[in-house]
Amino acid sequence: LKKTYNIELETISLTGSNIRVEGVTGSKIFGTDDVLIRNTGELINVYFEGVSLESSGTLDSPYGLFSSQDRRVEGLSFVNCSFSAPVSSSNAIKVINEGSLIVDNISIRNCKFIDIGRMAIEFQNHVFDGASRYSNVSIQDNIFYNTGSVSIYGMAISLSGIGTNLSITNNKIQQAKNIAIELVTGTSYVTISGNLINNLKTGCVPISFSGLTTYPHSDVVISNNITF
């Protein structure tokens, strides 16, 4: 990508394997919809680097600028990317898996989430049957600033529903709303370490565990986080 791509009310449909999308300085995918890139089939070994996703839309949406719902994802990386949706009640990255497909090996690294109307990153598995539906997720060395600028939900990171092998490390989170890092029901083998969480909005909780007692969280390590 070498310029600004204005896709207006359109959404880029993405499916395939061994895809690499790289942007140069100043390149941007800009639109007015709540979803700019949607997984419409399966994504296997897909790599985004240096790509900016920005929406000026005003929709109230539970999805994300990048959105995947009940689709196969095996090997997905966002590196040095940026996300902004200041007036849209939309997430930046939203991955829902509530079926039988695989969501595995996802890395979000060195990205910036600035002025996000809803949550920055959300993984959702709200079928509470004991099955893990997302795994091997690494969220590392990212910057989060001003999440929940529109919505009542403003988590920087939400891992909601049963998932396993999850790592949240060395991130900087400021001006989150409600909860900075949220784990809901049945996450396991989780590491939350080395994060700087400060300058939060009034009443915001730095790290929260909640959910059904039927499927408690397990094997969670929280270490060396700085909150003030």
Side-chain angles (χ1 to χ4, degrees):
L1 302 179
K2 295 183 179 181
K3 61 179 182 179
T4 295
Y5 295 83
N6 191 335
I7 59 175
E8 295 293 338
L9 290 172
E10 300 298 323
T11 297
I12 296 172
S13 296
L14 186 64
T15 182
S17 60
N18 301 317
I19 299 171
R20 189 177 183 96
V21 181
E22 293 188 52
V24 299
T25 301
S27 62
K28 181 188 301 183
I29 297 173
F30 175 85
T32 55
D33 204 348
D34 59 319
V35 179
L36 300 184
I37 300 176
R38 187 188 305 274
N39 178 6
T40 55
E42 62 179 22
L43 299 178
I44 303 172
N45 297 327
V46 175
Y47 183 89
F48 291 89
E49 182 173 2
V51 177
S52 176
L53 298 181
E54 182 176 330
S55 175
S56 64
T58 58
L59 296 174
D60 185 2
S61 169
Y63 301 107
L65 302 183
F66 172 87
S67 188
S68 178
Q69 181 172 9
D70 296 329
R71 302 289 186 177
R72 180 184 177 190
V73 180
E74 287 192 75
L76 173 65
S77 295
F78 291 93
V79 179
N80 294 323
C81 295
S82 63
F83 302 81
S84 181
V87 292
S88 173
S89 184
S90 177
N91 298 332
I93 295 174
K94 177 68 174 276
V95 178
I96 303 170
N97 191 27
E98 297 177 342
S100 60
L101 298 176
I102 293 172
V103 171
D104 181 68
N105 189 21
I106 297 177
S107 176
I108 304 168
R109 177 166 51 91
N110 290 322
C111 294
K112 294 181 179 180
F113 300 85
I114 310 295
D115 298 330
I116 305 297
R118 192 177 171 96
M119 305 182 208
I121 299 171
E122 182 183 12
F123 284 79
Q124 177 181 312
N125 168 22
H126 288 174
V127 180
F128 300 113
D129 58 1
S132 172
R133 290 183 171 85
Y134 59 96
S135 58
N136 297 309
V137 175
S138 175
I139 302 170
Q140 178 182 1
D141 294 318
N142 303 288
I143 293 174
F144 302 84
Y145 184 83
N146 190 28
T147 51
S149 61
V150 176
S151 174
I152 60 172
Y153 304 104
M155 296 75 169
I157 301 166
S158 176
L159 305 179
S160 186
I162 301 173
T164 190
N165 292 326
L166 313 170
S167 177
I168 302 171
T169 58
N170 300 325
N171 300 285
K172 182 178 181 180
I173 302 173
Q174 295 182 317
Q175 287 294 294
K177 180 188 285 186
N178 309 120
I179 301 167
I181 299 173
E182 173 186 57
L183 276 69
V184 181
T185 300
T187 60
S188 62
Y189 297 99
V190 182
T191 298
I192 302 174
S193 179
N195 300 286
L196 173 62
I197 307 171
N198 74 321
N199 190 26
L200 302 176
K201 294 176 182 176
T202 301
C204 184
V205 176
I207 300 172
S208 171
F209 295 85
S210 63
L212 303 175
T213 56
T214 312
Y215 303 109
H217 302 283
S218 64
D219 297 287
V220 178
V221 176
I222 301 176
S223 65
N224 301 318
N225 300 286
I226 300 174
T227 63
F228 60 92

